[in-house]
Amino acid sequence: MGVSGCGKSTIGKLLAQELNIPFFDGDDFHPEANIKKMSSGQPLNDADRQGWLETLNDLAKKQLTKNSCVLVCSALKQKYRDTLCLDLEAQTKWVYLSGDFNQIYNRVNKRPDHFMPSELLQSQFDTLEEPKDALKIDIALTPENIIKKIKAQING
């Protein structure tokens, strides 16, 4: 979890490959209305996110009947994380990819074809409630070192 541009998709894909489990990007499950709203420069509100979070929770439940998965999602507020792991708390491990505004703003501006404009990044930082129950990782580390830290934590 983390703000847009912190590396969730990159790290999530690498971790899923390393663990040989499916990867899901929460952005792929946004309803069209959410994408249009963000594309027009408007941040999502809690009501916009609710159905999307419930969809992701259902996806996680289905995956856990088979094995496991890596699911990336901004999950900026504690109540969003609570919805995402509803009835899955014991099977959920949170990783928080943390970086400062300028570092992430520069990354967001380098991404091709993403629906969220960099102007919305400040609203994500304003909304962010840092998790107390997550492995916090500095995104200045290389992706390889981030994966090593995550694996050490979840296997430990």
Side-chain angles (χ1 to χ4, degrees):
M1 57 111 352
V3 298
S4 184
C6 70
K8 294 182 300 291
S9 297
T10 299
I11 298 303
K13 286 176 191 168
L14 289 171
L15 182 62
Q17 285 174 346
E18 186 76 19
L19 299 175
N20 199 28
I21 57 177
F23 166 78
F24 299 97
D25 191 325
D27 284 348
D28 295 340
F29 295 85
H30 270 297
E32 189 62 32
N34 284 5
I35 293 170
K36 283 182 181 171
K37 187 171 184 177
M38 288 183 282
S39 296
S40 73
Q42 299 176 64
L44 298 180
N45 60 37
D46 290 356
D48 297 326
R49 288 184 176 95
Q50 188 60 37
W52 171 63
L53 294 168
E54 290 168 358
T55 296
L56 295 176
N57 175 259
D58 288 342
L59 171 66
K61 286 177 183 172
K62 286 180 185 130
Q63 286 302 309
L64 287 170
T65 64
K66 301 172 191 171
N67 182 4
S68 190
C69 68
V70 173
L71 172 63
V72 299
C73 176
S74 52
L76 299 174
K77 291 183 179 181
Q78 184 60 49
K79 69 181 185 177
Y80 303 163
R81 294 187 289 276
D82 291 345
T83 299
L84 284 166
C85 69
L86 186 66
D87 299 325
L88 302 171
E89 294 84 356
Q91 297 150 288
T92 304
K93 298 212 185 318
W94 291 101
V95 176
Y96 168 40
L97 299 178
S98 175
D100 69 41
F101 181 85
N102 290 331
Q103 177 185 34
I104 295 174
Y105 185 81
N106 290 332
R107 286 183 177 194
V108 168
N109 282 323
K110 291 177 185 166
R111 291 197 306 191
D113 304 325
H114 194 271
F115 59 80
M116 196 193 94
S118 58
E119 295 77 32
L120 287 181
L121 185 59
Q122 187 59 56
S123 72
Q124 290 212 331
F125 271 90
D126 293 345
T127 302
L128 178 64
E129 296 171 2
E130 289 202 15
K132 295 172 179 47
D133 59 346
L135 171 61
K136 183 176 178 178
I137 297 187
D138 184 346
I139 63 168
L141 296 170
T142 65
E144 294 76 21
N145 284 333
I146 290 173
I147 297 303
K148 283 180 189 170
K149 278 185 162 253
I150 295 170
K151 280 184 66 180
Q153 176 73 20
I154 62 176
N155 291 332

